């Protein structure tokens, strides 16, 4: 289960267990969800209850990495929510508060108040406004960048890559009044060029999806969590994550 990872404080290589980081998206009605990115508030509540009953607590990436740097990360699970859907404020925040959990919300400052038009199959889901992002931050959530507009950075030219990575960080810092330390790669696609751009933009860490040779402080692999992830599936994903982070297929 052990794998090399970068130190969150120095950037040097250290040996330690791969942190378990859950990847969520939308929290709301999942009746029309062709991409399987939505969990209902009730399902999220049950999943966080599952963590709690096993002595685990969901936290932001910032809290997780800070604790790991002190050698105190046991029992902590990273919770991340991609894309910055507007339903996070009304549906996810109350559930997170109920279980005393934190989270990192990766948002798109170039699409404030817009929708997920990058998903061709729909349905259209509204994204957070600037006020919504500030409210999430005021409730203790860490705000990270998901780029400006949700493009595949591995296919972006140099100017677009710089804007998506560096400009999104400065816009969010101005919007929230705090440093923005985390980045999340749209679609989870990465290569050496995009990882270097994220590091050079000053981000402390970044999240990807699948395990690969680039995994480390600026490309943490994560586990997709969806509506079908009941207790058995969560257990399997948690136990198998250190061996190879892949979705566990099967009936709910």
């Amino acid at each position: 289960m052990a794998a090399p990872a970068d130190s969150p404080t120095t950037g040097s290589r250290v040996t330690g267990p791969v942190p378990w980081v859950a990847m969520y998206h939308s929290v709301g009605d999942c009746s029309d969800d062709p991409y399987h990115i939505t969990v209902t508030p009730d399902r999220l509540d049950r999943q966080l209850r599952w963590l709690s009953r096993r002595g685990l607590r969901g936290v932001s990436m910032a809290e997780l990495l800070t604790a790991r740097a002190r050698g105190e990360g046991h029992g902590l699970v990273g919770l991340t929510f991609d894309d910055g859907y507007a339903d996070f404020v009304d549906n996810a925040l109350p559930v997170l508060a109920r279980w005393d959990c934190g989270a990192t919300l990766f948002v798109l400052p170039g699409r404030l108040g817009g929708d997920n038009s990058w998903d061709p199959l729909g349905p259209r889901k509204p994204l957070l406004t600037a006020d919504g992002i500030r409210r999430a931050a005021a409730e203790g959530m860490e705000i990270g960048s998901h780029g400006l507009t949700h493009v595949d950075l591995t296919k972006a030219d140099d100017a677009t890559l710089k804007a998506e990575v560096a400009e999104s960080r400065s816009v969010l810092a101005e919007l929230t009044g705090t440093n923005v330390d985390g980045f999340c790669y749209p679609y989870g696609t990465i290569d050496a060029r995009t990882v270097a751009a994220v590091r050079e933009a000053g981000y402390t860490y970044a999240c990807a999806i699948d395990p690969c040779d680039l995994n480390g402080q600026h490309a943490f692999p994560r586990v997709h969590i969806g509506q079908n992830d009941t207790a058995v599936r969560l257990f399997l994903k948690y136990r198998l994550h250190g061996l190879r982070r892949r979705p566990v297929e099967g009936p709910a």
Side-chain angles (χ1 to χ4, degrees):
M1 188 168 178
D6 295 329
S7 165
T9 55
T10 67
S12 60
R13 303 294 290 185
V14 296
T15 300
V18 177
W20 204 70
V21 181
M23 177 181 66
Y24 287 93
H25 290 79
S26 174
V27 180
D29 179 10
C30 62
S31 59
D32 183 9
D33 183 27
Y35 295 100
H36 306 290
I37 62 168
T38 308
V39 298
T40 63
D42 179 68
R43 178 64 74 196
L44 176 62
D45 183 79
R46 295 184 184 193
Q47 291 165 347
L48 297 186
R49 180 189 305 146
W50 182 90
L51 291 179
S52 179
R53 288 179 173 176
R54 282 149 188 82
L56 303 172
R57 185 170 67 91
V59 297
S60 68
M61 287 299 296
E63 183 174 347
L64 175 66
L65 297 180
T66 298
R68 281 169 58 88
R70 297 193 305 258
E72 302 173 356
H74 180 72
L76 299 182
V77 170
L79 298 182
T80 62
F81 291 78
D82 291 9
D83 302 333
Y85 290 102
D87 55 32
F88 180 86
V89 168
D90 292 330
N91 297 339
L93 277 179
V95 180
L96 292 166
R98 185 177 306 135
W99 294 102
D100 190 28
C101 289
T104 298
L105 179 62
F106 292 112
V107 301
L108 298 157
R111 290 183 180 268
L112 297 177
D115 61 33
N116 59 328
S117 60
W118 62 86
D119 287 333
L121 298 182
R124 297 280 75 85
K125 287 177 172 280
L127 304 178
L128 287 166
T129 63
D131 286 342
I133 292 172
R134 293 190 190 99
R135 178 179 169 187
E139 294 290 332
M141 301 300 111
E142 180 192 13
I143 304 300
S145 172
H146 201 27
L148 277 176
T149 60
H150 204 288
V151 300
D152 184 343
L153 298 180
T154 63
K155 299 177 181 178
D157 59 35
D158 290 344
T160 301
L161 177 61
K162 183 175 181 179
E164 291 285 332
V165 173
E167 185 178 334
S168 67
R169 184 172 189 241
S170 61
V171 170
L172 281 178
E174 182 176 356
L175 188 156
T176 61
T178 61
N179 288 332
V180 176
D181 294 325
F183 187 84
C184 175
Y185 301 93
Y187 305 105
T189 55
I190 63 173
D191 56 20
R193 172 172 163 263
T194 59
V195 172
V198 168
R199 184 184 296 111
E200 291 166 5
Y203 291 96
T204 303
Y205 72 88
C207 288
I209 300 179
D210 292 319
C212 69
D213 293 340
L214 293 171
N215 285 161
Q217 187 72 13
H218 286 88
F220 281 105
R222 296 179 295 165
V223 180
H224 168 73
I225 304 296
Q227 180 67 11
N228 290 335
D229 286 316
T230 54
V232 171
R233 288 169 59 94
L234 286 175
F235 174 78
L236 291 173
K237 287 186 175 184
Y238 186 74
R239 290 297 299 270
L240 295 175
H241 170 65
L243 301 176
R244 181 158 181 81
R245 214 294 303 136
R246 293 290 186 187
V248 178
E249 301 296 338

